[in-house]
Amino acid sequence: MADSILQKKSVCVVTGPTRGLGRSIAYQLSKKLPDGSLFILLSKNKALLDEIAGLIITHRDEIRVVTSVFDQGSSDQGQFDNVFQDCLVKAGAHVNEFEQAILVNNAGTLELLELSRDLDNVNAVNVFFSTNITGCVVLTAKFLQVFSATAMKARVIINISSLAAVSPMKSWLLYCMAKSSRDMMMKVIGEEEDNIRTLNYAPGPLATDMSVIASTETKDPSLRAWFEDQVKNKTLVECDQSVEKLITVLEKNSFANGAHIDYYDEA
């Protein structure tokens, strides 16, 4: 059986860690990784970044945390080029201190929830893909460069996926495309790179702001009604509950590179 991913002193990058699933991932992983590990938290919202950083440090003062205001949808190349080096300098850290580097690609958006025939606004479609695909690809490339196969003993990339990556959902074309593309990215990186583990984790339908948006903005009537019912009856999956499943998967570390594992799959 492979060693648990969570036993190694790590530098752990989490995108979108200020709300919902990303916040839960950052906090729960900070309780699991060894002393001396470093968390790099990336988000557009400085106030919420400071809040989650403070929460982690309060409960694990043996863990270091640095934050960076970062917009994954930006077209500013400089923002991507220097983000990891700047965070390491801010932490007074060097890649050689760590056994392992972890990237959790969590940041993403849900809208536009339109039928395919209505997706005719070039700018709106470009904005969606800038955040959900382009920025994710470039940030991941920078992660692979800074935390290279020669610099690190082990590397892990966790893509927060969705049922939408493998099952078509009416009026969710862009979201389905983005999630399936990111799933394939994990498969390709798993083939290209040495000493790396890649995972697509679909966290289930979560009790977050996104589900509320889905219950009001989804153009397909049957899918919108399903979300309305889930939100009304409070039957959605809690973020902490889903992260517990993810942690179990990481501790077992038996998945194939690029695997798509759903919250509802057997552990």
Side-chain angles (χ1 to χ4, degrees):
M1 182 177 179
D3 291 340
S4 167
I5 286 169
L6 304 181
Q7 291 177 345
K8 299 179 179 71
K9 181 181 175 183
S10 302
V11 52
C12 181
V13 181
V14 184
T15 67
T18 57
R19 295 185 177 92
L21 184 71
R23 180 184 172 95
S24 183
I25 288 172
Y27 180 58
Q28 299 296 340
L29 289 184
S30 75
K31 295 194 292 185
K32 291 287 184 179
L33 287 170
D35 292 355
S37 292
L38 168 66
F39 277 75
I40 295 175
L41 306 180
L42 307 178
S43 170
K44 292 188 290 186
N45 191 314
K46 184 181 186 305
L48 292 179
L49 276 173
D50 291 343
E51 185 179 297
I52 181 60
L55 180 67
I56 291 172
I57 293 167
T58 298
H59 290 86
R60 278 294 304 278
D61 57 8
E62 309 90 347
I63 294 286
R64 290 174 287 174
V65 183
V66 293
T67 64
S68 180
V69 177
F70 176 81
D71 179 4
Q72 190 165 286
S74 173
S75 58
D76 177 6
Q77 183 68 41
Q79 188 174 183
F80 291 88
D81 286 343
N82 303 313
V83 61
F84 294 123
Q85 292 95 330
D86 289 350
C87 286
L88 287 167
V89 169
K90 190 187 298 186
H94 190 276
V95 292
N96 293 342
E97 291 181 43
F98 306 99
E99 299 175 84
Q100 177 174 259
I102 302 171
L103 171 62
V104 183
N105 273 326
N106 168 70
T109 58
L110 180 61
E111 301 98 328
L112 306 161
L113 301 179
E114 303 285 348
L115 295 169
S116 302
R117 61 175 172 267
D118 296 321
L119 290 167
D120 58 359
N121 186 304
V122 172
N123 183 63
V125 173
N126 278 337
V127 166
F128 177 88
F129 284 126
S130 290
T131 298
N132 292 281
I133 296 183
T134 305
C136 181
V137 169
V138 176
L139 185 69
T140 301
K142 291 300 177 183
F143 173 85
L144 292 170
Q145 291 167 13
V146 174
F147 305 103
S148 65
T150 53
M152 308 301 299
K153 294 179 182 177
R155 299 176 297 165
V156 182
I157 305 178
I158 302 159
N159 171 51
I160 299 305
S161 187
S162 168
L163 177 64
V166 295
S167 180
M169 301 170 74
K170 295 178 183 178
S171 72
W172 283 38
L173 173 65
L174 297 186
Y175 191 78
C176 289
M177 289 176 68
K179 289 300 185 182
S180 61
S181 295
R182 284 167 54 156
D183 269 28
M184 182 54 72
M185 179 169 70
M186 293 299 95
K187 292 178 182 294
V188 172
I189 291 172
E191 293 290 327
E192 289 180 344
E193 294 285 326
D194 295 328
N195 67 344
I196 199 162
R197 305 286 282 125
T198 63
L199 171 68
N200 295 299
Y201 177 66
L206 298 172
T208 64
D209 292 343
M210 277 193 174
S211 292
V212 175
I213 292 168
S215 72
T216 58
E217 301 296 325
T218 299
K219 295 303 186 292
D220 178 65
S222 60
L223 185 56
R224 185 175 65 248
W226 185 88
F227 274 102
E228 287 173 351
D229 181 68
Q230 297 294 310
V231 171
K232 179 182 176 181
N233 295 313
K234 298 182 178 179
T235 49
L236 294 161
V237 179
E238 295 296 330
C239 291
D240 286 349
Q241 191 176 352
S242 184
V243 175
E244 286 177 10
K245 173 62 175 285
L246 173 60
I247 285 172
T248 298
V249 172
L250 297 176
E251 286 177 337
K252 287 191 174 181
N253 194 16
S254 60
F255 55 88
N257 269 355
H260 178 101
I261 297 179
D262 192 277
Y263 169 75
Y264 293 106
D265 291 341
E266 289 187 20

